[in-house]
Amino acid sequence: MPTALITGASKGFGRAIAEALADRGWTLIVDARTEAELAQAARGHASITAAAGDVTDPLHRRQLAALVDQLGGRRLDLLINNASTLGTSPLPQLADYPLDDLRQVYETNVIAPLALIQSVIEPLTAAAADGGGTIVNISSDAAVEAYPGWGGYGSAKAGLDQLTAVLAQEEPRLRCYAFDPGDMRTQMHQEAFPGEDISDRPEPQTVVPALLRLLDERPPSGRYRAAEFAIPQEQEAAR
Ligand SMILES: NC(=O)c1ccc[n+]([C@@H]2O[C@H](COP(=O)([O-])OP(=O)(O)OC[C@H]3O[C@@H](n4cnc5c(N)ncnc54)[C@H](OP(=O)(O)O)[C@@H]3O)[C@@H](O)[C@H]2O)c1
């Protein structure tokens, strides 16, 4: 069975992806910082191994890489860098952005994903030999649109997009995707719009079929939006 490592899988989009891949029989290694929530998310899924920790912590990343070696036989089909931070909420203007907070946003959203890629590049490349070896870095429309207040998070996601694009050139045996899921009704989205009613945003589970379609179709490396892989409702109902 294929093996995937998914960061930030205790809630929101990461959890929805993990549940869908577990239902497809994948072996999964997942993380998040809050141990109890992560354990709750993994409960009932025998193929999910939960390792609580912070992606910015090198020791934790080493633990994840060791689990990949152990459970995947030194072979990793899929890495999804999903864990992310919005940064300061309410979102500050760049002129007032606390620089230590900005460093933390870059550490979590840019440095940690690349560090994790570096930690598992060999097992990813091993999987590439027989059609695996995919990296999905979860992006945002804030990476390409200039929304006031989103300069910290958005510029970090733009950096992640560019890392993905260059990596795709340097590692042609791998598929390297930046995937923009669009708005989703999650804790992060609520933090971005404190006190606002976000009940009109789609649940993260509704975006998962688009990501699965990306993984199944394996288009060339690049940046893709969920909307480009959306499955018409009537087709989804028939699956
Ligand atoms: N929601 C949206 O509208 C939206 C739109 C565009 C893009 N995105 C992107 O989609 C992805 C998922 O976001 P979401 O909305 O599902 O967020 P979410 O519901 O807040 O979930 C974030 C997950 O990441 C974990 N996490 C956060 N920081 C971490 C760290 N340093 N180390 C390990 N795990 C960490 C969280 O658990 P702990 O807090 O316990 O660590 C949680 O499991 C993110 O990359 C986000 O930027 C979201």
Side-chain angles (χ1 to χ4, degrees), residues 111-160:
I111 307 290
L114 178 61
L116 202 51
I117 290 166
Q118 291 175 346
S119 301
V120 295
I121 193 87
E122 285 177 17
L124 280 168
T125 308
D130 41 50
T134 301
I135 297 168
V136 179
N137 291 324
I138 303 298
S139 184
S140 165
D141 62 337
V144 291
E145 302 291 341
Y147 303 126
W150 291 78
Y153 171 87
S155 62
K157 290 291 189 184
L160 184 63

Side-chain angles (χ1 to χ4, degrees), residues 9-10 15 19 34-45 50:
S10 65
R15 178 172 180 171
E19 284 172 353
T34 313
E35 193 162 14
E37 281 180 357
L38 185 65
Q40 170 66 28
R43 194 159 297 144
H45 298 282

Side-chain angles (χ1 to χ4, degrees), residues 2-56:
T3 304
L5 169 55
I6 307 171
T7 64
S10 65
K11 56 189 162 215
F13 192 42
R15 178 172 180 171
I17 300 166
E19 284 172 353
L21 290 179
D23 288 347
R24 283 182 162 203
W26 283 60
T27 297
L28 299 176
I29 300 151
V30 299
D31 86 345
R33 291 165 301 181
T34 313
E35 193 162 14
E37 281 180 357
L38 185 65
Q40 170 66 28
R43 194 159 297 144
H45 298 282
S47 66
I48 300 184
T49 297
D54 188 324
V55 287
T56 65

